[in-house]
Amino acid sequence: SWSVNSGNREGDAAGLLLQSNLFDQRLQLETEVGYSDYDFNTSDEFSSETGHAYRFTASGYYEQFTYGATYQYISPEYEVVGATGTPNDREELRVNGGVSFDNDSIQINLAQYHDNVDNDNLFPRITYTDGAIDYTVGRFGNITATLGYMRNLQKSSREPDALVEVDTTTDTFTASTGFFKDSYSLGLFGTFSKRNDQTDTDADSRILSFGFTPSYFSDWLSAAAGVNWTRVTDETTDQDFDTWNISLNLTGDIIKTRLAYDLAGTYTTNEASDDSIDIYTLDTIGKLTYTITEEFYGFAKPSIGLEGRYLRSHDHLTGETENDKIVSLVFSTNYHFGF
C-alpha cells in the first residue's frame, strides 16, 4: 500500500496477489485484487473517487498441451498515481490453448471484452471479440514458417442519439518465414487485412503489407535491416495510401569493452494515389561511447559519449523542407544499491 501527493493529484492504492501451483505445475492459479482512491485535481470541488480491479487466471500444461483462461474487471474509477493512463472501465475474458508436436505447433486465442462496465447512459458500450489461430512449422532444418488468421469484431450497443453506431468485422491473414544459419538470419512476412463496416457509413478498407528483415550478429558487429511496404486502400473512395519504410541499425566495438558505436537510420515515404500526399522523411542517429573504466568508487562503467541526430523531411507537393540537427555530449554511469 502507498500514498503520494504530486501537485494537484493525490491518491492511495493497495493490491494483493495470490499464486498457487497444483499438480506439479499442471495447474497454476492467480488471484489479484486492487483498490484505489484517486483525486485527479485536489484544487477543484470534486472529491476523490474509489475504484477497484480484480483478475483471476488459471493456466497450465499437460504433456504437449497448454491452456489458460483469464477474467479481469477494472472499474471506471480505478486510477493509480504514477500509472495514469492504465486501461480502466473494462471487463474481459480470455481463453487460450495450444498443442506442440515434434516439429509443428498450433496456438488458439479467444477473447471478448467491453467498456462502459457501469452501463452509463451517456456513452455506448463497445464490445470487442477476437479469435486467432497460428500454425508454426519447424520441420525444415534452419527454416521456420508461421501461418495465422485472426478475426476481430467491434459492435456498439445502447448508443445515445448523438453518437454513430460501431459494427465492423476485420479479417487478417499473416504469413512469415525465417531462415537462421550461424550468424545470419533472414525474415520474410506478409499481411492482408480486410475491414468490413456494416453500418450505414460503409467505410470498408483493406491493408496489404510485405517486408523482409536480414540481420548479422558477431562478437564485434551487430547489423539489422528492414524493408517494409504497406498499402492502405479506402474502398469507399478507391484511394491507395502507400508507405515505404527502410531501416538499418549497426552496433559494435572499435576497441573492445572501451570504444563502441551505434548507428541507426530510417527512410520513410508516404504517397497517395490521388497525389494528395507525397512526403519523405530521413531520420539518422549516431553515437560514439568511450568507457573510461569498469568501476570507479562504486560507479559501474562511467562513460562519455558523443551523440548526433539528423532529421530531414520534404514535401514534394509544397516544396517545403525541414532539417533538424542535434549534437550532444553525454556522460553516463550506473550505481547499484539495495535496501
Side-chain angles (χ1 to χ4, degrees):
S1 175
W2 52 265
S3 177
V4 62
N5 190 332
S6 177
N8 289 331
R9 294 183 299 149
E10 184 177 273
D12 298 280
L16 176 66
L17 175 64
L18 301 176
Q19 297 176 316
S20 62
N21 295 316
L22 306 175
F23 311 113
D24 194 23
Q25 305 291 328
R26 287 183 173 86
L27 180 61
Q28 302 175 43
L29 302 176
E30 281 191 8
T31 299
E32 186 175 13
V33 180
Y35 163 85
S36 72
D37 186 71
Y38 183 79
D39 190 345
F40 184 77
N41 190 344
T42 57
S43 63
D44 60 23
E45 68 273 19
F46 302 104
S47 60
S48 62
E49 293 185 330
T50 299
H52 59 277
Y54 43 85
R55 175 179 62 87
F56 306 101
T57 298
S59 62
Y61 71 91
Y62 179 73
E63 296 182 348
Q64 74 268 36
F65 299 95
T66 60
Y67 38 83
T70 297
Y71 172 78
Q72 180 174 258
Y73 175 91
I74 307 175
S75 70
E77 301 81 14
Y78 186 78
E79 197 78 64
V80 177
V81 174
T84 56
T86 302
N88 57 9
D89 192 12
R90 182 183 179 108
E91 184 177 22
E92 68 177 305
L93 175 64
R94 294 183 177 274
V95 179
N96 64 80
V99 57
S100 300
F101 305 100
D102 291 338
N103 299 300
D104 307 339
S105 65
I106 299 174
Q107 182 71 29
I108 298 176
N109 296 281
L110 301 173
Q112 186 173 81
Y113 52 97
H114 63 83
D115 57 8
N116 197 2
V117 296
D118 288 345
N119 295 318
D120 190 333
N121 293 327
L122 297 177
F123 303 98
R125 168 178 287 184
I126 301 179
T127 300
Y128 304 83
T129 304
D130 295 328
I133 181 170
D134 292 297
Y135 173 58
T136 301
V137 183
R139 64 180 67 187
F140 304 112
N142 295 332
I143 300 177
T144 61
T146 300
L147 298 174
Y149 168 72
M150 182 175 68
R151 166 163 282 202
N152 170 266
L153 307 176
Q154 298 184 26
K155 187 173 180 59
S156 62
S157 59
R158 298 194 293 270
E159 304 91 348
D161 294 336
L163 296 181
V164 179
E165 68 170 329
V166 175
D167 189 1
T168 63
T169 300
T170 303
D171 295 295
T172 303
F173 302 87
T174 60
S176 62
T177 183
F179 171 77
F180 308 89
K181 184 174 178 59
D182 299 328
S183 298
Y184 302 90
S185 68
L186 175 63
L188 303 171
F189 64 89
T191 301
F192 175 75
S193 177
K194 181 173 176 56
R195 178 178 181 267
N196 180 21
D197 187 347
Q198 300 165 89
T199 67
D200 295 336
T201 306
D202 195 27
D204 297 344
S205 63
R206 62 181 184 269
I207 300 174
L208 182 63
S209 181
F210 296 101
F212 69 92
T213 54
S215 62
Y216 170 80
F217 298 96
S218 69
D219 293 338
W220 59 276
L221 173 65
S222 297
V227 178
N228 176 247
W229 172 80
T230 300
R231 167 168 289 180
V232 179
T233 302
D234 185 337
E235 296 187 355
T236 304
T237 60
D238 199 28
Q239 292 186 20
D240 296 327
F241 302 89
D242 294 345
T243 300
W244 278 96
N245 187 280
I246 303 172
S247 63
L248 177 64
N249 185 274
L250 301 173
T251 59
D253 294 331
I254 299 176
I255 302 176
K256 192 172 183 179
T257 72
R258 280 285 186 252
L259 188 60
Y261 64 90
D262 189 344
L263 304 173
T266 302
Y267 178 78
T268 305
T269 65
N270 294 278
E271 299 177 349
S273 60
D274 63 352
D275 296 327
S276 61
I277 301 174
D278 191 357
I279 300 173
Y280 82 80
T281 303
L282 175 66
D283 191 359
T284 60
I285 299 175
K287 182 178 180 181
L288 190 64
T289 304
Y290 178 75
T291 301
I292 302 171
T293 182
E294 288 297 313
E295 185 177 354
F296 182 77
Y297 290 100
F299 292 91
K301 294 186 176 181
S303 64
I304 187 170
L306 184 65
E307 294 184 7
R309 180 179 184 182
Y310 174 67
L311 178 62
R312 175 185 174 89
S313 63
H314 179 73
D315 191 327
H316 290 283
L317 301 180
T318 64
E320 295 181 354
T321 301
E322 294 184 3
N323 293 283
D324 290 321
K325 306 179 185 70
I326 301 174
V327 178
S328 305
L329 186 65
V330 180
F331 177 80
S332 63
T333 186
N334 294 313
Y335 186 81
H336 302 283
F337 65 92
F339 58 89

